[in-house]
């Protein structure tokens, strides 16, 4: 009785949402609509905290643009969306255009965001990729593999802007060209944006990088690649889980390495942590089933909290 009393207006509102709008019901399951209302209420009370509801909305708005493969009009629209939202909270966003050495006819564009006036290199990068897999008929929405990492970084930008002394020590990067044009990432195909950033920053690399990829799926299991992770970053990861009380059954360690955007930085000596969901045995990965139905507030919110805890530890 005591538990449900305060939530009855929210339950009624959630029911109305699902009854009044068939379109909204398709896009957002009733449980997610309810969770959204709960998150918004929490956000109103604690605006300094990471808001799962805001991250979810960023994710949904990016997906509303449709598939966003590198070089597509939808990719350019998401660049504009991310730029305007980060700029609104005080970040300086710099588009970095380039052509990969092996694909000189293609133009790609990373987004790099810093806080404050200084042009000196920041100590830590938080990154994600924003291109989605496939093209034409085969293009996928990439709600998890593309939008989820960006959504978390966009909400982190708002939260960090309220802590300017911390924000000034961090750079946010949205990579283009993570996805390969062939079936799988190889030494020549994929990771174009991260390879470019390492190459253009020679001698000015940060000490740390935290990369987010596929971090919004309901019930996800994160699998940090052991072979790509320095001892200090692994300790920080395990400490963050301990502090937050998160289960090591869902925030796990993968015993091998992983070809993802952290790898070019790790190879250049940066201490990296790649937060990526276990995906190899999934049925949704790189298919049209990677849509908003698999994204959960809880999952986005947990990822945001882990990153903020890592920042507290690493940059304390
Ligand atoms: Zn992918």
């Amino acid at each position: 009785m005591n538990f449900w009393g305060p939530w009855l207006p929210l339950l009624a509102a959630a029911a109305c949402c699902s009854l009044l709008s068939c379109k909204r019901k398709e896009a957002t399951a009733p449980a997610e609509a309810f969770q959204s209302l709960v998150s918004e209420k929490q956000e109103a009370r604690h605006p300094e905290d990471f808001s799962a509801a805001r991250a979810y909305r960023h994710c949904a708005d990016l997906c509303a643009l449709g598939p966003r493969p590198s070089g597509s009009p939808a990719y350019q629209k998401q660049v504009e969306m991310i730029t305007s939202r980060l700029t609104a909270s005080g970040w300086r966003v710099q588009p970095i255009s380039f052509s990969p050495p092996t694909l000189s006819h293609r133009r790609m564009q990373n987004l790099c965001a810093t806080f404050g006036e200084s042009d000196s290199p920041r100590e830590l990068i938080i990154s994600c990729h924003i291109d989605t897999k496939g093209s034409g008929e085969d293009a996928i929405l990439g709600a998890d593999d593309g939008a989820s990492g960006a959504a978390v970084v966009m909400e982190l930008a708002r939260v960090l802007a309220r802590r300017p002394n911390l924000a000034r020590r961090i750079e946010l990067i949205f990579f283009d060209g993570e996805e390969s044009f062939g079936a799988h990432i190889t030494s020549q195909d994929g990771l174009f944006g991260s390879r470019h950033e390492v190459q253009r920053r020679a001698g000015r690399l940060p000490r740390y990088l935290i990369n987010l990829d596929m971090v919004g799926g309901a019930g996800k299991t994160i699998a940090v690649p052991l072979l790509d992770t320095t001892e200090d970053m692994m300790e920080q990861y395990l400490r963050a889980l301990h502090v937050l009380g998160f289960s090591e059954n869902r925030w796990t360690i993968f015993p091998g390495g992983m070809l993802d955007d952290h790898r070019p930085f790790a190879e250049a000596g940066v201490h990296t942590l790649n937060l990526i969901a276990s995906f190899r045995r999934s049925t949704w990965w790189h298919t049209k089933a990677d849509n908003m139905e698999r994204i959960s507030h809880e999952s986005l919110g947990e990822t945001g909290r882990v990153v903020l805890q890592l920042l507290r530890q690493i940059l304390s």
Side-chain angles (χ1 to χ4, degrees):
M1 291 280 274
N2 284 342
F3 175 78
W4 289 110
W7 302 112
L8 280 174
L10 287 174
L11 281 169
C16 285
C17 279
S18 59
L19 287 171
L20 288 175
S21 168
C22 290
K23 269 196 166 172
R24 181 163 171 80
K25 192 176 175 186
E26 273 170 25
T28 310
E32 286 302 323
F34 174 62
Q35 188 57 47
S36 179
L37 288 164
V38 172
S39 298
E40 283 169 21
K41 202 171 168 78
Q42 286 169 344
E43 178 191 326
R45 279 201 300 260
H46 300 286
E48 72 283 6
D49 289 349
F50 186 93
S51 163
R54 280 181 186 262
Y56 189 91
R57 284 198 296 273
H58 289 313
C59 197
D61 290 347
L62 290 170
C63 287
L65 299 173
R68 302 163 310 283
S70 180
S72 66
Y75 184 92
Q76 196 52 42
K77 279 189 191 153
Q78 80 171 338
V79 159
E80 288 159 18
M81 182 185 287
I82 294 167
T83 301
S84 74
R85 293 186 186 186
L86 263 65
T87 305
S89 54
W91 291 79
R92 283 189 299 154
V93 184
Q94 188 184 8
I96 304 292
S97 296
F98 65 99
S99 293
T102 52
L103 290 169
S104 55
H105 60 289
R106 280 195 173 268
R107 292 300 286 167
M108 295 188 176
Q109 191 177 68
N110 294 335
L111 284 182
C112 300
T114 51
F115 200 85
E117 296 304 312
S118 168
D119 285 326
S120 55
R122 294 341 195 219
E123 293 162 64
L124 185 146
I125 289 173
I126 304 170
S127 61
C128 60
H129 76 89
I130 52 174
D131 61 307
T132 53
K133 182 77 176 173
S135 60
E137 293 278 288
D138 296 328
I140 67 161
L141 205 50
D144 205 7
D145 191 1
S148 69
V152 171
V153 178
M154 290 161 82
E155 169 56 3
L156 284 169
R158 182 193 68 84
V159 173
L160 289 169
R162 302 176 73 96
R163 302 162 171 84
N165 289 338
L166 185 59
R168 278 191 275 270
R169 301 168 67 188
I170 294 166
E171 180 171 1
L172 311 176
I173 306 187
F174 302 81
F175 294 120
D176 195 350
E178 187 264 357
E179 299 289 2
S180 56
F181 293 98
H184 298 290
I185 296 172
T186 68
S187 60
Q188 299 289 316
D189 191 8
L191 312 184
F192 295 111
S194 47
R195 285 172 171 143
H196 179 73
E197 289 303 324
V198 168
Q199 179 250 319
R200 92 179 172 90
R201 288 157 194 260
R204 295 182 300 114
L205 283 163
R207 184 161 174 78
Y208 307 105
L209 175 136
I210 300 170
N211 188 59
L212 310 180
D213 196 358
M214 299 185 239
V215 291
K220 71 175 183 291
T221 300
I222 288 289
V224 168
L226 178 66
L227 293 184
D228 302 329
T229 312
T230 48
E231 204 173 307
D232 62 329
M233 289 303 258
M234 190 59 81
E235 280 176 15
Q236 296 288 10
Y237 171 61
L238 295 174
R239 191 173 141 207
L241 301 185
H242 178 73
V243 170
L244 295 170
F246 285 3
S247 165
E248 290 184 20
N249 292 326
R250 288 194 44 226
W251 293 79
T252 69
I253 299 167
F254 169 64
M258 177 82 61
L259 274 178
D260 204 354
D261 282 321
H262 67 292
R263 176 64 76 79
F265 287 85
E267 288 176 348
V270 176
H271 295 222
T272 67
L273 184 68
N274 190 36
L275 296 179
I276 182 168
S278 182
F279 60 94
R280 292 193 193 281
R281 293 201 190 123
S282 69
T283 53
W284 56 268
W285 180 58
H286 284 180
T287 75
K288 292 183 192 290
D290 184 3
N291 56 41
M292 281 304 291
E293 283 176 23
R294 61 168 281 95
I295 301 297
S296 86
H297 285 80
E298 184 188 19
S299 191
L300 292 167
E302 283 182 357
T303 304
R305 289 179 63 199
V306 167
V307 176
L308 283 174
Q309 180 59 33
L310 286 166
L311 297 180
R312 271 184 219 114
Q313 294 170 192
I314 296 169
L315 298 179
S316 62

